[in-house]
Amino acid sequence: MILLDTALRQREQEGRPLRIGVIGAGAMARGLVALITNQIPGMEVVAIANRTLQRAADAYAFAGRDGAVAASDLAALERSLSAGEPAITSDPALLVRSGAIDALIDITGSVNHGAAIVLAAIEHGKPLVLMNAEVDATIGPILHEKARAAGVLLSCCDGDQPGVQLNLWRKVKGMGLIPRVLGNIKGLQDEYRTPTTQQRFAEQWNQDVTMVTSFADGSKVNFEQCIVANATGFTVLRRGTSRMEYRGPVEDLTTHYDLDQLRTLGGVVDFVVGAQPAPGVFCLAELADPRHAPMLAAKGLGDGPLYCFYEPYHLCHLDAPMSLARAVLFGDAVGQPIGGPVVEVVAIAKRDLEAGETLDSFGRYMTYGQSEQASVVRTEGLLPEGLVEGCRLKRAIAKDQPVHWADVEAPSDQLAHQLYAEQQGRWGSV
């Protein structure tokens, strides 16, 4: 942050703000646009793309900018940007193709739509930050490989739990410790929540009910921990992570893991229900050099062998602008897969499912997602939660049982399915 705010002030003084295109206009996008517009020097949201134009206009209005101009083609978009007018469009490809936009951020939460955005950004050399955990967890490895090959920066996002954990991971490593657990703290875990049960909460906080349901049923946290695993090489203790329920201070978690097992596995991602402070993230690490143990003890971190470092919150859109600044000004990614998938998120039946039914998306009524070792996913032929939508069941699946590729007729012509098949072929198919 220290380098970033200095660099952004310099851009502001030079009259060269970073020109940002936002894709999506939900609650997170509205907050991000308002923040950048009113509080972040050296950065400007110049265009918003959303399937419903009015929601894009509303996002600008929420930020205090009226007079958004709709653009249906690239020439119209470029005219608006040249005139300094806030631009809106229903076509995200226009933002990707515009030479007047320095970087993009995807806040859609859609796997298929997100995949198309990433490929277009790669084609046009546009840095892209993903506040879209679902696409990153499902087909992130193949997308990031394509981006690296093209010399285009693709990154997950500060503020989202994966970004906060990866920042903490880098900080802890920088202090000479060896991270062994990267964890997320949740206040609620109930795999059987649905949009019906979550409707009131979604309305209260003006959020999308599907996304809120994916928080409650655990799909979202599993997508998030999958991203962290693939960026660090860490794995999971078991399908769905430990899902430990612990209502005490996060520092006490140092005694809840087997260090020898953690060393053998090379590190794990996890989430804990009820630990405090929530909704934060934590890193459990051991010292590489015991000569520093007295310092940690003197500063209240205990006697080891595991030490707890944590952030008490994740601030979503409030931290997200720094991801864009890191990408454009320093070519620094918050997090990227280090190679092929280490962990994936698989679909589990939320209720008894009948043959002939067509599956709905994550965060709905039919499935929830759990993280699993990628080797197990391949061996058992498990269906990713990010690809369930539109799959037709060939046989019944009992509640809480995983869904396999052999159980469904999949819409294999969809872009996300094609990319997943390429990803499996690249790093070993069943």
Side-chain angles (χ1 to χ4, degrees):
M1 177 63 184
I2 304 303
L3 287 172
L4 295 173
D5 60 3
T6 300
L8 286 171
R9 282 197 303 271
Q10 181 69 30
R11 294 292 292 248
E12 180 79 7
Q13 292 166 3
E14 294 171 353
R16 296 188 305 118
L18 303 186
R19 301 163 298 180
I20 305 303
V22 174
I23 302 174
M28 289 299 105
R30 289 194 302 274
L32 176 69
V33 174
L35 178 68
I36 293 174
T37 300
N38 297 288
Q39 273 83 42
I40 306 297
M43 187 179 293
E44 181 183 3
V45 175
V46 296
I48 302 172
N50 194 69
R51 281 175 286 192
T52 305
L53 270 181
Q54 185 58 52
R55 287 173 66 86
D58 290 345
Y60 268 126
F62 182 74
R65 293 191 72 183
D66 296 319
V69 177
S72 58
D73 56 44
L74 184 59
L77 176 66
E78 301 281 35
R79 283 195 299 273
S80 292
L81 299 186
S82 295
E85 300 168 332
I88 57 175
T89 180
S90 59
D91 184 0
L94 300 185
L95 274 60
V96 174
R97 293 163 56 200
S98 172
I101 293 177
D102 297 311
L104 303 168
I105 183 166
D106 170 14
I107 321 182
T108 63
S110 166
V111 177
N112 211 55
H113 188 53
I117 291 166
V118 174
L119 291 184
I122 293 171
E123 180 184 355
H124 292 277
K126 193 80 68 180
L128 173 63
V129 170
L130 292 172
M131 191 180 275
N132 183 340
E134 294 76 15
V135 72
D136 211 353
T138 306
I139 48 177
I142 194 67
L143 291 173
H144 282 270
E145 182 174 75
K146 290 177 182 292
R148 281 191 288 267
V152 177
L153 192 136
L154 180 63
S155 173
C156 71
C157 191
D158 284 311
D160 250 0
Q161 286 99 323
V164 181
Q165 288 173 75
L166 291 170
N167 287 339
L168 185 58
W169 173 67
R170 288 172 66 170
K171 178 180 179 180
V172 169
K173 287 198 302 177
M175 292 190 294
L177 288 96
I178 305 170
R180 296 299 187 190
V181 180
L182 287 167
N184 210 324
I185 301 172
K186 281 181 56 100
L188 168 71
Q189 172 62 30
D190 181 354
E191 289 86 350
Y192 313 119
R193 295 297 178 101
T194 69
T196 300
T197 66
Q198 303 311 113
Q199 184 67 45
R200 182 175 297 179
F201 182 90
E203 291 173 350
Q204 177 184 355
W205 294 102
N206 192 28
Q207 293 188 347
D208 177 76
V209 70
T210 296
M211 195 59 65
V212 166
T213 304
S214 76
F215 298 158
D217 73 12
S219 299
K220 185 72 168 181
V221 71
N222 278 275
F223 281 128
E224 290 168 345
Q225 296 313 93
C226 174
I227 293 170
V228 176
N230 290 337
T232 59
F234 286 13
T235 187
V236 290
L237 290 166
R238 64 181 180 88
R239 184 172 297 169
T241 78
S242 74
R243 286 177 287 170
M244 182 192 311
E245 184 167 329
Y246 179 71
R247 301 288 170 178
V250 65
E251 294 93 335
D252 292 350
L253 294 176
T254 55
T255 63
H256 286 244
Y257 293 87
D258 181 333
L259 181 54
D260 288 335
Q261 181 186 31
L262 298 177
R263 289 168 174 162
T264 298
L265 293 171
V268 302
V269 296
D270 203 2
F271 74 86
V272 177
V273 179
Q276 295 298 318
V281 304
F282 63 92
C283 174
L284 305 183
E286 63 173 322
L287 277 169
D289 185 345
R291 288 176 292 187
H292 303 299
M295 171 62 75
L296 295 182
K299 297 302 180 181
L301 271 75
D303 299 319
L306 283 173
Y307 300 89
C308 181
F309 303 85
Y310 64 90
E311 294 286 350
Y313 39 68
H314 65 282
L315 298 178
C316 302
H317 70 268
L318 296 180
D319 267 340
M322 295 305 106
S323 310
L324 292 158
R326 287 168 68 170
V328 178
L329 299 176
F330 296 99
D332 182 45
V334 179
Q336 300 171 320
I338 56 177
V342 180
V343 169
E344 298 187 47
V345 180
V346 299
I348 311 294
K350 190 176 284 192
R351 59 167 173 80
D352 289 340
L353 302 174
E354 300 298 328
E357 289 191 283
T358 298
L359 297 178
D360 54 15
S361 74
F362 55 86
R364 302 297 295 173
Y365 292 90
M366 301 176 78
T367 62
Y368 58 89
Q370 290 193 332
S371 49
E372 178 59 278
Q373 295 178 27
S375 59
V376 174
V377 175
R378 290 191 293 269
T379 300
E380 298 187 8
L382 300 172
L383 178 69
E385 177 69 359
L387 299 179
V388 291
E389 186 174 12
C391 289
R392 186 176 182 275
L393 288 170
K394 295 191 287 187
R395 57 178 63 89
I397 307 293
K399 181 180 179 180
D400 292 325
Q401 294 303 303
V403 185
H404 298 78
W405 283 106
D407 299 326
V408 302
E409 295 172 355
S412 57
D413 58 333
Q414 289 187 2
L415 177 59
H417 281 259
Q418 293 172 352
L419 285 164
Y420 184 79
E422 183 179 352
Q423 179 171 284
Q424 292 294 81
R426 169 68 177 83
W427 286 288
S429 57
V430 176

